[in-house]
Amino acid sequence: ALVHAANTYFGQLGVSMGPEAFEQSVAAARLRDPAVVLAAADVSLESTGGGVPEGLRARELAPVGIGQGALHLSPLAVALFTAAVADDGLMLAPTLSATAKPTLRARPFTFAATARVKKMMRGVVKNGTARGCDIPGLDVCAKTGTAETGKGGKDHAWFTCFAPERGARLVVTVVVEYGGFGAEAALPVAKGILLEARELGYFE
């Protein structure tokens, strides 16, 4: 289902989780919380919080389960979520300072769960919707996404990935507003960043 972006499966999965388990998952990943990216004595720079409504009913979990409906997440939130998968279940706090000591933001996933999801995301690149990002030697793991705008125009194109599969060094998350399909509009941007990062020695 993940490899081929089968929305029906994930809609059913959302409903089967039920409101209580879904709420626990959202809270564990801190999807509603803003993230401080640069702290200072007088003022702090932080991201916007996520738009995941509380008190969702069972029938509302189907569209949310596929990333639609009442769900609204920033690219940073998706990047943090992706990084937690890449880092064996640890979600570190983001920072704009290269010298800042990493701090733990959340632990939303178990090691076993992330191991399974990594394999699935690698499968998306090898055999699924992200085949265009299969860069030799990088073992990219990824997920494409397409988000409806509700305005009658083109959908927003999403793509999130990390590389390599083991010992990930880089996470890239791209959204192209009104770009259409993630694999067509957002994937090439991420691929270009990965290729440039390889040239700069990020994966050495």
Side-chain angles (χ1 to χ4, degrees), residues 25-51:
S25 297
V26 169
R30 297 185 61 182
L31 291 181
R32 296 190 184 97
D33 301 341
V36 176
V37 294
L38 187 63
D42 52 348
V43 66
S44 294
L45 178 64
E46 64 180 39
S47 72
T48 183

Side-chain angles (χ1 to χ4, degrees), residues 10-36:
F10 290 103
Q12 292 174 346
L13 181 62
V15 173
S16 67
M17 284 182 68
E20 183 176 349
F22 182 84
E23 177 61 30
Q24 290 173 351
S25 297
V26 169
R30 297 185 61 182
L31 291 181
R32 296 190 184 97
D33 301 341
V36 176

Side-chain angles (χ1 to χ4, degrees), residues 165-181:
E165 180 180 0
R166 296 182 179 180
R169 300 299 303 273
L170 186 65
V171 169
V172 179
T173 300
V174 175
V175 58
V176 179
E177 293 183 327
Y178 308 106
F181 293 111

Side-chain angles (χ1 to χ4, degrees), residues 1 57 75 79 86 89 99 102 121 128 148 162 165 171 178 199 201:
R57 291 169 291 183
T99 59
M121 292 179 69
E148 296 175 354
F162 63 86
E165 180 180 0
V171 169
Y178 308 106
E199 291 297 314

